[in-house]
Amino acid sequence: MHIGIVTLFPEIAASFGSLGVTGRAVEDGRITLDIENPRSHAGDAHGTVDDRPYGGGPGMVLKVEPMRDAIEALRKRLPDASRTVLMSPQGRPFDQDRARQFAELDGLLLVCGRYEGVDERLLELAIDEEVSVGDFVVSGGELPALLVADAVARLVPGVLGAEKSAEQDSFVEGLLDCPHYTRPEEVSGLKVPPVLLSGDHEKVRRWRLKQALGRTWRRRPELLRSRRLRDEEQSLLDEFIAEAKSLNGRK
Ligand code: 9D3
């Protein structure tokens, strides 16, 4: 998969291609990362990429031409079918479904804004869709773009190690994760739940599923409303809720 990023801060985006799981994927050639700086497409010797907003007001607006030309230059190096996505607070909220759709593409071009935003005409000229990463404000599109690139990259076959991947993930798909423990068995008076030491894999599986369902019910009930529960899941959740009500409080 080819990922292109248009950004005025190429150093921020470069970490994606050099660190961790995504760095390995780039090294292995499963992911190609290509970065283009609109500054290289400025029309003047000062490298001007922004200007004051028509109609007045604070801040600066990214000019069309350097952004458009950077996108066009990058598109020439990406597959023809690549999708061009503007990272924007006005975009549709990014989620795992969108990550799956992007992961099916041969190429994804992520455009990062800065300052107050981009000239609206850029959207008509060069952008297929706008994506937001959540209802909070960050300083520019770079961190959102890396977040999208990472979510997409780990869905590309071979990017995650063989031990992880689809099976384990889809087991609790649409649910929050269960709690995890590692050695020692007791720390600061806190013990590991005995079932995890029992060696009974079926009991462990049911406990984990129940915890995942219970946590989701507690913390993100809206996720349960958009997910059908199998019979086993429903009865485990019923157990969790019954126990929660009899215990009342905690967590
Ligand atoms: C005063 C209005 N603000 C819009 C909500 C101005 C503004 C804030 C932050 C304009 C641009 C930005 C920079 N943010 C992004 O480019 C961005 C973003 C975000 O701030 N939150 C969530 N997702 C994203 S994707 C790109």
Side-chain angles (χ1 to χ4, degrees):
M1 163 146 213
H2 298 250
I3 298 178
I5 304 182
V6 168
T7 171
L8 289 163
F9 296 90
E11 300 89 345
I12 301 178
S15 63
F16 172 87
S18 55
L19 301 174
V21 162
T22 56
R24 166 66 62 85
V26 169
E27 267 175 34
D28 293 349
R30 295 182 207 282
I31 306 274
T32 305
L33 178 66
D34 199 344
I35 301 172
E36 187 71 20
N37 190 340
R39 189 84 61 193
S40 313
H41 300 269
D44 61 0
H46 300 296
T48 305
V49 293
D50 60 349
D51 205 340
R52 292 147 61 204
Y54 279 122
M60 300 290 272
V61 175
L62 287 171
K63 293 166 66 63
V64 168
E65 304 96 312
M67 296 297 287
R68 179 200 59 202
D69 294 350
I71 292 168
E72 277 178 10
L74 194 43
R75 278 202 75 104
K76 286 187 182 143
R77 308 197 293 266
L78 292 182
D80 285 338
S82 300
R83 208 163 168 74
T84 303
V85 176
L86 176 67
M87 307 312 301
S88 156
Q90 284 74 48
R92 167 166 315 149
F94 183 70
D95 61 13
Q96 192 65 23
D97 281 339
R98 211 87 199 77
R100 278 190 210 102
Q101 291 167 5
F102 286 160
E104 309 230 318
L105 301 169
D106 289 332
L108 181 63
L109 200 165
L110 303 171
V111 181
C112 305
R114 277 270 153 174
Y115 318 115
E116 286 315 292
V118 301
D119 186 309
E120 190 68 17
R121 292 167 294 187
L122 181 70
L123 280 105
E124 281 182 62
L125 288 172
I127 302 296
D128 296 317
E129 69 177 295
E130 292 175 87
V131 160
S132 161
V133 298
D135 294 336
F136 48 86
V137 180
V138 296
S139 305
E142 284 77 13
L143 294 177
L146 293 192
L147 195 147
V148 167
D150 186 275
V152 171
R154 62 196 297 291
L155 296 176
V156 170
V159 168
L160 284 190
E163 74 280 9
K164 268 209 138 208
S165 88
E167 269 109 289
Q168 270 284 36
D169 268 4
S170 65
F171 164 64
V172 283
E173 210 181 74
L175 299 178
L176 301 186
D177 208 353
C178 63
H180 299 285
Y181 297 87
T182 187
R183 294 188 290 177
E185 280 185 29
E186 182 175 339
V187 62
S188 300
L190 298 176
K191 294 193 166 94
V192 174
V195 58
L196 298 180
L197 309 175
S198 70
D200 185 334
H201 298 305
E202 176 59 13
K203 269 179 77 177
V204 169
R205 185 191 66 81
R206 285 171 57 82
W207 180 85
R208 286 181 170 156
L209 180 54
K210 180 173 168 179
Q211 296 301 313
L213 288 159
R215 286 178 149 193
T216 309
W217 170 72
R218 271 228 151 90
R219 303 178 189 185
R220 299 288 305 279
E222 79 281 6
L223 295 181
L224 288 182
R225 281 190 275 282
S226 56
R227 185 188 191 279
R228 303 204 54 76
L229 296 189
R230 295 181 281 114
D231 287 351
E232 181 193 41
E233 292 172 339
Q234 189 60 60
S235 58
L236 287 171
L237 178 56
D238 291 344
E239 272 178 42
F240 186 99
I241 293 172
E243 287 165 18
K245 284 184 174 152
S246 70
L247 271 153
N248 220 350
R250 298 194 15 118
K251 263 203 249 165

